[in-house]
Every structure is written in C-alpha cells, then in structure tokens.
C-alpha cells in the first residue's frame, strides 16, 4: 500500500457522506408522496360523504318516477322502498352505503336493476373513445400553438392564436355542440347535412364499415371538445414559455451558435412545461370522467349521458356511484401530477 492510498477505514467512513444526500432526497420524496396520497384519501372520503347527502336534496320520489306515473297502491310503493332500502333511517342508509362503497360495491341501479359498477364499466369505453381522442388532439394542438405563439409573441400569428383561443374557450360547449348540429347535421343554406345528429353508430354496419361509421359519428363531438378545450392549454403553455424567455440559459444557448428553433425545442420548452403538466393531468382526469354536456347534446352513450339519465329519475345509487367515480378520476390524476412534479423539478419536493 502506498502512502497516498486511502485506508479501508477511511473509505468506509467516507461512504455514508456520499450516500447521504441521495438517501435524504429519497426520504424527503417519500414523505412528500405520503402526504399527497394521504390528502387524496381524505378528499375521496369527503366526496363519498358529500355525494350521499347532496343527491338526496334532489326533489322527487325515485320509486314513483320508476313506475312511470302508473296508478300504484301504497302497499306496492312500500314494497319497492323496502327493496331498495329507502325505508331505512337516513343514518342507516349512509353507513350501509359507505361500508359497501369502501369494498367496491356501489349498489344496484334503480332503473336498470343492475350493479352500478357494471353500468360504469359498460359506458366507460365509449367515454374514453370520445374524450380520449379529443384530449390527445387539444393537448398537442394547445402546446404546439402555445409555444409558437410565445416564441413569436406580439406578432400577427400570436394575436390571431390568442384571440381565437380566448373566444372559443369562453363559448359554452353545449351551445357550440348545438350550433354544429344545426349547421353540419341538419344543414343550413348551401351547407348540406354531412354528419349524424347524435349517437355512436347507425346500427347496421359490420367490420371496417362499423369503424368508419363510429368515426363518422365521432367527428362533431370531438370537434366541439377540441374547440372549447384547446384554448386553455394554449394559454397556459404560452404564459409558461413567456416566463422563460428572458432566462440566462437561453442567452447562453444562443451564444453557443444554436439555431433559434433548436433553442426553443431543446431548452425553453422543456423548462416551461411544468405548469402545463398540471393542466394535462387535470384534463386527463376529466377525460376519464367524461364531459356530461357534450355527451348529452350528441346522445353519446358514455358516462356523461348515463349521469344525465340517472339524474332524471333520480337513480340515487347510479348518481352517487358516477359522482364518486368522476371525483376519484380527477383526484387521482391531480395526485399523480403532484408525484411527478419533484421528478421534473427537484425543488418542488423540498
């Protein structure tokens, strides 16, 4: 052993100092993540309680609504109420609902006489097809146009993009959907009716023709969602990039001789995406939850249309189950965004 070589004891003593910062970072992240997951669990519990009492304020008798106004005796009404547990005291209904919900049992739908979880499972793929397609389109469109507008802010393209985004974002989605139906489904003036007025399929197609038929029905509701939602993504992406425009690292990148487009794509945009990540995850949660108004306007057989049907009865187990599912989707996506933040910017978890 030479005089300059470190001893085994010295190496062992120095090892904790090397591993220490990483271990502390991991511990901080675990504490941060545990806090976020705990907060999400509390939020879900609050939604569970709120949903039970909120929808019992809806006027109307579910049993009488299900009979369709037909003459029915008090004995028959009492039998229906016993069947659905509506004759129990409110506190007993509440404890029964919470106990079953925590085990994944959301009850049985009054009008469909089927488990609520089964009805959600049937409608979920249709919602994901509609809102998932729209989500991908308006996210890509918003980020691309938003970053380009910010990079050339003040120009004609920036003013046109921002003005159009603000205008469309302020339009109610149901109003725009109805307008598109009038113009492109019913037809107006020289414009013929090109698209179906609603639904998901014609019901007579098979194979590849069926895929084209569904795509044909999908166009107007997707256009409605993209037109209304892309503006928010564009404005957030534009604002985030504008905040980065004066940073020193961009000046350094330009001084190294990098092309302006390369500086934008490799340096500015990745550092400006953090606020946009929140919006993307929130919109992803809304994608799972569906868009009630758009699905109702276009008679799309998804979770939004199912929720509207359930409210009209009111079908309390189905309404409560969908409300819990919608809220859970948003809460889970927000929690995932919080957990991803420290991976993108280590300062967040400190």
């Amino acid at each position: 052993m030479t005089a300059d070589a470190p001893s085994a004891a010295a190496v062992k003593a120095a090892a904790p100092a090397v591993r220490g910062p990483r271990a502390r970072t991991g511990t901080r992240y675990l504490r941060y993540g545990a806090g976020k997951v705990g907060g999400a669990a509390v939020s879900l519990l609050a939604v569970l309680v709120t949903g039970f009492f909120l929808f019992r304020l809806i006027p109307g008798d579910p049993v009488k609504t299900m009979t369709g106004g037909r003459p029915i005796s008090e004995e028959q009404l009492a039998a229906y109420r016993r069947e659905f547990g509506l004759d129990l005291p409110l506190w007993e209904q509440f404890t029964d609902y919470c106990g079953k919900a925590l085990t994944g049992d959301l009850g049985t739908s009054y009008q469909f006489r089927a488990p609520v979880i089964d009805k959600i499972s049937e409608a979920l793929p249709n919602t994901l097809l509609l809102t998932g397609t729209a989500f991908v389109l308006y996210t890509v469109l918003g980020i691309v146009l938003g970053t380009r507008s910010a990079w050339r802010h003040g120009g004609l393209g920036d003013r046109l993009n921002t003005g159009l985004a603000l205008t469309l974002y302020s339009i109610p989605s149901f109003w725009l959907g109805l307008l598109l139906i009038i113009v492109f489904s019913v037809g107006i003036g020289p414009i013929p009716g090109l698209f179906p007025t609603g639904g998901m399929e014609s019901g007579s197609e098979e194979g590849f023709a069926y895929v084209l038929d569904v795509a044909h029905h999908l166009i107007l509701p997707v256009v409605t969602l993209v037109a209304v939602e892309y503006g928010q993504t564009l404005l957030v992406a534009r604002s985030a990039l504008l905040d980065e425009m004066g940073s020193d690292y961009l000046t350094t990148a330009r001084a190294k001789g990098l092309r302006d487009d390369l500086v934008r794509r490799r340096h500015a945009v990745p550092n400006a995406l953090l606020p946009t990540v929140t919006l993307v995850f929130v919109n992803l949660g809304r994608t799972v939850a569906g868009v009630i108004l758009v699905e109702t306007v276009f008679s799309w057989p998804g979770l939004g249309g199912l929720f509207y049907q359930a409210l009209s009865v009111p079908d309390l187990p189905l309404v409560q189950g969908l409300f819990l599912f919608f809220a859970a989707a948003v809460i889970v996506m927000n929690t995932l965004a919080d957990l991803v933040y420290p991976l993108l910017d280590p300062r967040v978890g400190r």
Side-chain angles (χ1 to χ4, degrees):
M1 181 184 298
T2 64
D4 294 333
S7 65
V11 172
K12 186 175 181 180
V18 175
R19 293 195 302 266
R22 291 184 180 179
R24 286 195 296 271
T25 301
T27 302
R28 281 197 300 267
Y29 182 76
L30 287 176
R31 284 201 300 265
Y32 170 82
K36 294 300 180 182
V37 172
V42 172
S43 299
L44 281 173
L45 184 60
V47 168
L48 187 69
V49 175
T50 303
F52 177 84
F53 291 103
L54 176 65
F55 295 111
R56 274 161 177 74
L57 299 176
I58 300 175
D61 187 336
V63 173
K64 289 184 178 180
T65 305
M66 283 186 293
T67 60
R70 298 188 305 272
I72 188 170
S73 66
E74 289 298 324
E75 291 77 11
Q76 289 173 310
L77 286 175
Y80 275 121
R81 290 193 174 96
R82 280 195 302 273
E83 179 184 352
F84 295 118
L86 295 174
D87 61 326
L88 299 174
L90 189 61
W91 68 267
E92 193 170 340
Q93 293 183 44
F94 174 67
T95 55
D96 182 59
Y97 164 70
C98 289
K100 289 182 177 179
L102 292 175
T103 63
D105 182 2
L106 299 179
T108 301
S109 168
Y110 294 163
Q111 56 183 325
F112 297 107
R113 304 294 182 91
V116 169
I117 195 69
D118 289 350
K119 298 304 297 181
I120 292 176
S121 299
E122 290 173 11
L124 181 59
N126 299 338
T127 289
L128 291 179
L129 175 63
L130 170 60
T131 54
T133 303
F135 167 78
V136 172
L137 292 175
Y138 69 67
T139 299
V140 172
L141 192 65
I143 291 176
V144 170
L145 292 181
T147 53
R148 287 185 177 277
S149 291
W151 201 249
R152 296 176 176 82
H153 63 282
L156 178 60
D158 176 37
R159 293 198 299 271
L160 289 176
N161 279 332
T162 306
L164 182 62
L166 287 170
T167 301
L168 291 175
Y169 186 55
S170 64
I171 294 177
S173 58
F174 71 91
W175 183 85
L176 180 59
L178 289 172
L179 186 63
L180 290 177
I181 289 175
I182 292 172
V183 175
F184 296 106
S185 293
V186 178
I188 183 171
I191 303 175
L194 301 173
F195 301 100
T197 56
M200 181 178 169
E201 57 184 86
S202 302
S204 59
E205 305 293 345
E206 296 180 359
F208 186 66
Y210 172 77
V211 175
L212 293 178
D213 183 44
V214 172
H216 191 214
H217 284 76
L218 194 64
I219 291 175
L220 286 188
V222 165
V223 168
T224 302
L225 288 175
V226 170
V228 172
E229 297 292 342
Y230 98 96
Q232 185 182 21
T233 308
L234 182 148
L235 294 172
V236 170
R238 179 181 181 275
S239 176
L241 186 55
L242 282 175
D243 289 340
E244 295 287 328
M245 294 285 283
S247 300
D248 292 337
Y249 69 89
L250 295 183
T251 304
T252 303
R254 290 190 183 95
K256 290 180 178 179
L258 294 178
R259 298 195 314 273
D260 196 57
D261 186 59
L262 205 59
V263 172
R264 174 173 58 85
R265 286 190 290 106
R266 286 191 180 179
H267 298 278
V269 172
N271 285 285
L273 282 181
L274 192 60
T276 313
V277 168
T278 305
L279 185 61
V280 169
F281 273 95
V282 170
N283 286 339
L284 191 57
R286 291 174 56 197
T287 295
V288 178
V291 182
I292 297 173
L293 292 176
V294 172
E295 289 193 358
T296 302
V297 167
F298 287 97
S299 303
W300 191 265
L303 294 177
L306 189 63
F307 188 75
Y308 178 78
Q309 283 181 269
L311 277 176
S312 63
V313 174
D315 188 340
L316 295 178
L318 188 54
V319 169
Q320 290 168 178
L322 286 167
F323 178 74
L324 179 62
F325 183 81
F326 292 164
V330 175
I331 290 171
V332 168
M333 288 301 120
N334 282 345
T335 304
L336 287 177
D338 289 334
L339 295 177
V340 169
Y341 267 5
L343 304 179
L344 299 176
D345 187 349
R347 295 172 298 178
V348 175
R350 291 179 182 174

